[in-house]
Amino acid sequence: MSTPSPALHDITVVVIGPGDYYFGHGRTRISTLLGSCVSITLWHPRKRIGGMCHYMLSERARPPDSPPDARFASEAFELLLYHIDIAGTRPSEYQAKLFGGSNMFTDEAGRRMAIGPRNIEFGQRFLTANSIALIAQHIGGSGRRKLHFDLWSGDVWLAFPEGEGAKIRSYCG
């Protein structure tokens, strides 16, 4: 069963940047621009709710008593799991899509830094550890990605205009 798309003037657009996340419902489109950062979309197909995070690094030594910082994958996931719980749902009821992790940076010697690949690997581990089905991914390579995630349908729209070498995988089931 497909849900009709709302008229453009009926859509609330939420733009998230590095270190941001959003969880919500309704006629909301979440948008972001990625390089070496990674975004994960989570969508509950029955309740038509979900969220997206945009993390920059996998983790940090978190200072005691500090609030979660969504710039770090481990803490962005903590925030998403909090909203999943508040919604009265379980992580395993969500579908995930994983994007980003481009090789954007080199060190002083001109070698590629592994920020993107580490971000990808951390995201994949999180999804597996929480029994969240990964149904699509567009990862790695080089170049920027622009994403739009429609919460009313679970669709993600991707632009990868200057990119190359990405691994694209969609899963069925």
Side-chain angles (χ1 to χ4, degrees), residues 5 17 33 39 47 66 93 132-133 147 154-155:
S5 296
L33 180 65
S39 278
K47 291 195 170 207
S66 68
E93 297 171 348
I132 300 172
L147 297 177
D155 291 337

Side-chain angles (χ1 to χ4, degrees), residues 13-14 17 65 97 100 124 131 159 161 165 170 172:
V13 177
V14 175
D65 300 324
K97 297 176 183 175
Q124 291 169 330
S131 302
S170 292
C172 297

Side-chain angles (χ1 to χ4, degrees), residues 136-165:
Q137 63 182 10
H138 191 278
I139 55 173
S142 62
R144 291 176 293 281
R145 292 171 174 87
K146 186 171 188 176
L147 297 177
H148 302 288
F149 175 34
D150 295 340
L151 287 178
W152 64 89
S153 67
D155 291 337
V156 176
W157 307 94
L158 167 73
F160 192 48
E162 299 166 5
E164 56 184 50

Side-chain angles (χ1 to χ4, degrees), residues 3-171:
T3 301
S5 296
L8 286 177
H9 65 276
D10 290 339
I11 297 172
T12 300
V13 177
V14 175
V15 178
I16 64 171
D20 289 338
Y21 78 99
Y22 181 85
F23 193 92
H25 60 86
R27 287 177 255 209
T28 304
R29 174 174 287 156
I30 310 169
S31 298
T32 198
L33 180 65
L34 300 168
S36 61
C37 296
V38 166
S39 278
I40 293 179
T41 65
L42 297 177
W43 190 65
H44 194 291
R46 191 171 42 80
K47 291 195 170 207
R48 299 189 181 281
I49 60 174
M52 178 195 289
C53 64
H54 178 154
Y55 60 88
M56 302 164 64
L57 298 167
S58 54
E59 56 192 332
R60 67 176 173 150
R62 187 168 163 188
D65 300 324
S66 68
D69 184 339
R71 291 179 297 173
F72 303 94
S74 57
E75 297 171 47
F77 297 145
E78 180 182 332
L79 292 163
L80 289 174
L81 290 171
Y82 169 79
H83 287 282
I84 287 170
D85 186 53
I86 292 297
T89 57
R90 294 186 311 271
S92 61
E93 297 171 348
Y94 287 76
Q95 299 173 345
K97 297 176 183 175
L98 176 69
F99 302 93
S102 289
N103 289 313
M104 302 293 288
F105 303 106
T106 56
D107 63 14
E108 300 83 27
R111 294 179 300 244
R112 293 269 183 192
M113 297 172 70
I115 295 169
R118 279 196 305 266
N119 283 339
I120 292 166
E121 193 267 333
F122 200 94
Q124 291 169 330
R125 275 198 339 247
F126 164 79
L127 295 172
T128 299
N130 287 280
S131 302
I132 300 172
L134 178 61
I135 64 168
Q137 63 182 10
H138 191 278
I139 55 173
S142 62
R144 291 176 293 281
R145 292 171 174 87
K146 186 171 188 176
L147 297 177
H148 302 288
F149 175 34
D150 295 340
L151 287 178
W152 64 89
S153 67
D155 291 337
V156 176
W157 307 94
L158 167 73
F160 192 48
E162 299 166 5
E164 56 184 50
K167 295 178 185 169
I168 305 166
R169 184 171 298 141
S170 292
Y171 302 91

